[in-house]
Amino acid sequence: MAAPKLVLRDITMIYPARRGQAITAIDRLSLQVQEREIVSIVGPSGCGKSTLLRLVAGLIRPTSGEILLDGRRVEGPGADRGMVFQSYTLFPWLTVQGNVEFGLRIRGVGAEERREIARRYIELVGLVGFEHAYPKELSGGMMQRVAIARVLANDPEVLLMDEPFGALDAQTRSLMQELLLQVWEKTRKTILFVTHDIDEAIFLGDRVYVMTARPGRIKEEIPVSLPRPRTLEVTTAEPFMAIKRRVLSLIREEIGKQS
Ligand SMILES: Nc1ncnc2c1ncn2[C@@H]1O[C@H](COP(=O)(O)OP(=O)(O)O)[C@@H](O)[C@H]1O
Ligand SMILES: [Mg+2]
């Protein structure tokens, strides 16, 4: 098999004590993501999922262990990793197009080329006709479409998604999951997707890593051998249900330990 795209090796993250005690958020966690794979990470609230993504994004440094992207050690933030957060992070003073072009502008890409690239990704996420709208005029789902188009426009090596649909209502959320899979079919980007939603993790992922309660470790890795392209119908069929039962029982064990 080809060398993995992303490697996390023996990662420990201890947040230093502020007032009380230092917090070990992640404890000797290892995982790998192959090129073009969608890997989901699921675990109870507070288990270190966001910490894990912030580490890969280079926003914080691990206490020990190493993170490799395409064989190179992650030392800080970089355009090779694009992050999509749960909270809406669009620039309110820029239009949809301005937001999608933002990273390209920073990197000095010319106006003509910027417009062309933005047009492509705006179309990919289904926002043609909204190029000149401002974020406050958009629904939550539409804002997250822009956020996805904005990171894709930078052509990152890996997409890091931290509960990107967590603030949306259930129906919009399902639609956005399908949209993300359609986008993936066309771009084949490597995606590391963090969620506490078991259905979402399985529906999207080629594999699901289940984390333990804090300190976060990998409790189990579960392959999701459901055929692609997937639509929401797969979530009601028995193979999906069987995986869901397994993940649910693992998460239950972890939540049981917390309380
Ligand atoms: N900046 C920080 N300083 C200290 N502790 C933190 C910080 N960020 C997160 N934590 C703690 O680390 C643990 C994991 O947090 P987080 O990664 O946000 O979990 P999750 O995303 O799975 O809910 C939690 O106990 C949280 O309180
Ligand atoms: Mg989180």
Side-chain angles (χ1 to χ4, degrees), residues 228-247:
R228 294 187 190 274
R230 296 178 193 163
T231 57
L232 282 167
E233 279 69 46
V234 303
T235 63
T236 55
E238 177 51 29
F240 184 97
M241 296 294 186
I243 299 170
K244 183 172 174 178
R245 281 194 294 274
R246 178 75 193 134
V247 176

Side-chain angles (χ1 to χ4, degrees), residues 10 20 22-24 30 36 69 74 112 166 175 226 239 254:
D10 233 10
I23 291 176
T24 304
S30 297
R36 299 171 195 280
L69 177 59
V74 167
E112 189 80 357
L175 286 175
L226 303 170
E254 291 307 309

Side-chain angles (χ1 to χ4, degrees), residues 82-91 96 99-100 121 125 127 138 140-154 156 159-161 164-165 176 179:
M83 186 92 146
V84 181
F85 298 91
Q86 171 177 337
S87 56
Y88 307 129
T89 53
L90 301 182
F91 302 116
V96 166
N99 269 283
V100 176
Y121 288 105
V125 300
L127 285 178
L138 305 177
M142 290 164 88
M143 285 196 270
Q144 290 307 69
R145 286 174 196 243
V146 179
I148 292 168
R150 184 173 61 178
V151 293
L152 288 173
N154 295 323
L159 232 62
L160 308 175
M161 308 188 85
F165 310 140
M176 290 297 293
L179 174 93

Side-chain angles (χ1 to χ4, degrees), residues 20-176:
Q21 288 195 316
I23 291 176
T24 304
I26 292 180
D27 181 32
R28 285 162 296 162
L29 179 150
S30 297
L31 64 80
Q32 300 193 346
V33 184
Q34 303 297 324
E35 175 119 50
R36 299 171 195 280
E37 227 185 352
I38 305 179
V39 169
S40 300
I41 297 185
V42 71
S45 172
C47 76
K49 301 183 296 299
S50 294
T51 298
L52 187 70
L53 278 198
R54 284 202 296 273
L55 287 163
V56 178
L59 301 173
I60 53 175
R61 300 286 295 268
T63 309
S64 62
E66 65 174 358
I67 300 172
L68 303 172
L69 177 59
D70 287 325
R72 291 184 305 273
R73 199 172 175 148
V74 167
E75 306 276 9
D80 52 359
R81 284 146 289 147
M83 186 92 146
V84 181
F85 298 91
Q86 171 177 337
S87 56
Y88 307 129
T89 53
L90 301 182
F91 302 116
W93 64 89
L94 293 176
T95 61
V96 166
Q97 176 146 350
N99 269 283
V100 176
E101 284 187 8
F102 184 80
L104 300 166
R105 184 191 295 265
I106 294 290
R107 297 209 323 264
V109 177
E112 189 80 357
E113 192 183 347
R114 281 204 314 262
R115 208 169 310 131
E116 173 54 29
I117 294 170
R119 195 196 54 74
R120 193 187 324 148
Y121 288 105
I122 286 169
E123 186 180 337
L124 191 63
V125 300
L127 285 178
V128 172
F130 292 92
E131 291 85 348
H132 305 298
Y134 284 88
K136 66 175 189 308
E137 303 171 277
L138 305 177
S139 67
M142 290 164 88
M143 285 196 270
Q144 290 307 69
R145 286 174 196 243
V146 179
I148 292 168
R150 184 173 61 178
V151 293
L152 288 173
N154 295 323
D155 198 23
E157 292 297 325
V158 54
L159 232 62
L160 308 175
M161 308 188 85
D162 190 359
E163 314 231 16
F165 310 140
L168 305 175
D169 64 83
Q171 257 155 22
T172 306
R173 184 175 190 143
S174 296
L175 286 175
M176 290 297 293

